[in-house]
Amino acid sequence: MSRATMRAFVLTGPREGEVREVPVPDAVAGEVVVDVERVGVCGTDVEFFTGEMAYLHEGHSSYPMRLGHEWSGTVRAVGEGVDPAWLGRRVMGDTMLGDRTCRRCRRGRQHVCERRQEVGIRDGRPGALAERIAVPAWSLHVLPDRVDAALGALVEPGGNALRAARAADVGPGDRALVLGPGTIGLLTAMFLRAEGVEVHLMGRADESPAFARALGFDRTWTEDTLPDLPFDAVVDASNAAHLPALALDRVEPSGRVVYIGLAGNPSRIDTRALALKDVTAVGVLSASPGLADTITAYATGTVDPRPLVAATVGLDRVADVLAGHPVEGAGPGPKIHVDPTLP
């Protein structure tokens, strides 16, 4: 007899969450049920934990909720109308689920659909911090053998970073500055480096540059030590409200600034500088258009993000991770993964 319930981490309120037994999802028409193997914890999850996430105040999300939008696993059941060939396939899934009928979706921009669901983020689509998850079959991406569970759960943040790197529109002989050496910033730096770009990283004074340098990024600075160099592109992957303006200030005329980080408070830039420097500014939301190419980059070894994962824990440790408590034995990387099968 199949199980009626499964273990899942449920966020019940600001700074309140616990592992509960919840109903196992059904494979309804057009959807699959996946055995979750690995889930990444990200800054968005932390904002939901603290209660700061804007979606909570805008009515898009509410407690109780199940987090988890960076995940990988194996398909165990398919619903009506789904090709049974999906069974047993190793997959990851898109976070942004458009309605597939509106003008934006029809133009291939389902990640900005006004009526989109967001896995583990918006109400109506529980996330992957559980033993199983149900998602539409069309949102899946197959993982090749060379992309293991850990890499699979890094595809979603990697897709965001790939899009940011591409938006910078730089290549060999160009110089780029990435603000914020967290998961997205480091992944962006990796994709830029793979294109032959001279990459510089800027972090806070209280952040050790040792980890970034261990990844091969020797040009790592703080705001006070950042050299006066011409940067052909600047990517803001930070959560500091003042850095979007610094990005515009430091980019070369006719260069590009890419905004992928989000601050808790509104940021300000001087559009006169934007116009008078003839700068192109690009905002990046969602990994959706970059997922397939990120999988290819991981499979070919063009980018190897494994060192970013500091530790892998079970569901019982999720609350501690969200609260910022240190994980015993963790490495120096910025990312914590969750394996729902761990005790």
Side-chain angles (χ1 to χ4, degrees):
M1 179 180 293
S2 61
R3 293 172 55 193
T5 64
M6 65 178 182
R7 298 176 74 242
F9 178 79
V10 180
L11 194 60
T12 55
R15 299 190 178 278
E16 297 178 355
E18 61 185 11
V19 178
R20 292 181 175 178
E21 289 287 331
V22 302
V24 171
D26 295 322
V28 300
E31 298 198 0
V32 302
V33 172
V34 178
D35 284 328
V36 179
E37 296 172 10
R38 202 63 57 87
V39 191
V41 176
C42 86
T44 299
D45 300 321
V46 174
E47 288 186 13
F48 277 118
F49 179 76
T50 62
E52 297 172 303
M53 176 61 182
Y55 278 8
L56 291 167
H57 310 287
E58 296 169 352
H60 297 305
S61 309
S62 60
Y63 304 116
M65 65 182 302
R66 291 222 312 266
L67 302 171
H69 61 277
E70 304 175 1
W71 60 270
S72 65
T74 301
V75 178
R76 69 170 291 125
V78 300
E80 181 182 353
V82 177
D83 187 344
W86 279 109
L87 289 169
R89 284 185 177 175
R90 298 179 51 256
V91 297
M92 63 77 58
D94 199 340
T95 299
M96 305 298 210
L97 308 180
D99 64 15
R100 309 188 79 195
T101 61
C102 71
R103 183 174 185 267
R104 295 174 191 171
C105 286
R106 294 196 308 271
R107 293 185 169 208
R109 300 168 186 161
Q110 57 90 19
H111 60 291
V112 290
C113 171
E114 187 174 1
R115 294 183 292 274
R116 69 183 179 272
Q117 294 180 322
E118 296 183 29
V119 176
I121 296 176
R122 290 197 181 197
D123 286 344
R125 186 58 69 172
L129 281 176
E131 293 179 282
R132 298 176 192 169
I133 185 174
V135 294
W138 64 264
S139 70
L140 298 176
H141 289 260
V142 175
L143 299 177
D145 291 341
R146 295 187 65 181
V147 178
D148 60 17
L151 284 177
L154 287 164
V155 170
E156 200 278 341
N160 280 282
L162 174 62
R163 292 192 65 212
R166 286 179 171 173
D169 195 26
V170 285
D174 292 328
R175 181 183 293 120
L177 171 65
V178 178
L179 308 178
T183 298
I184 298 297
L186 288 170
L187 281 165
T188 301
M190 289 178 176
F191 280 111
L192 288 169
R193 181 173 60 186
E195 293 299 318
V197 178
E198 179 186 305
V199 181
H200 293 247
L201 285 160
M202 192 192 88
R204 299 192 308 266
D206 61 345
E207 293 174 328
S208 170
F211 180 65
R213 289 175 178 166
L215 296 176
F217 297 107
D218 296 329
R219 304 176 183 91
T220 302
W221 319 98
T222 65
E223 194 166 347
D224 292 334
T225 64
L226 184 64
D228 186 16
L229 293 170
F231 294 107
D232 302 294
V234 180
V235 179
D236 179 17
S238 77
N239 59 3
H242 74 287
L243 289 187
L246 183 142
L248 179 56
D249 179 60
R250 296 308 302 265
V251 73
E252 276 284 275
S254 292
R256 287 196 167 216
V257 289
V258 181
Y259 295 116
I260 189 170
L262 294 174
N265 299 311
S267 301
R268 299 279 189 265
I269 64 170
D270 188 341
T271 57
R272 293 172 297 182
L274 187 74
L276 293 173
K277 292 179 72 173
D278 196 33
V279 166
T280 299
V282 183
V284 174
L285 170 74
S286 167
S288 301
L291 294 175
D293 287 346
T294 298
I295 292 171
T296 298
Y298 291 175
T300 59
T302 302
V303 168
D304 181 8
R306 287 183 182 89
L308 301 183
V309 181
T312 301
V313 302
L315 289 171
D316 291 333
R317 296 297 308 278
V318 171
D320 287 339
V321 170
L322 292 171
H325 298 158
V327 176
E328 184 178 354
K335 177 66 68 176
I336 300 294
H337 272 177
V338 179
D339 180 348
T341 68
L342 290 177

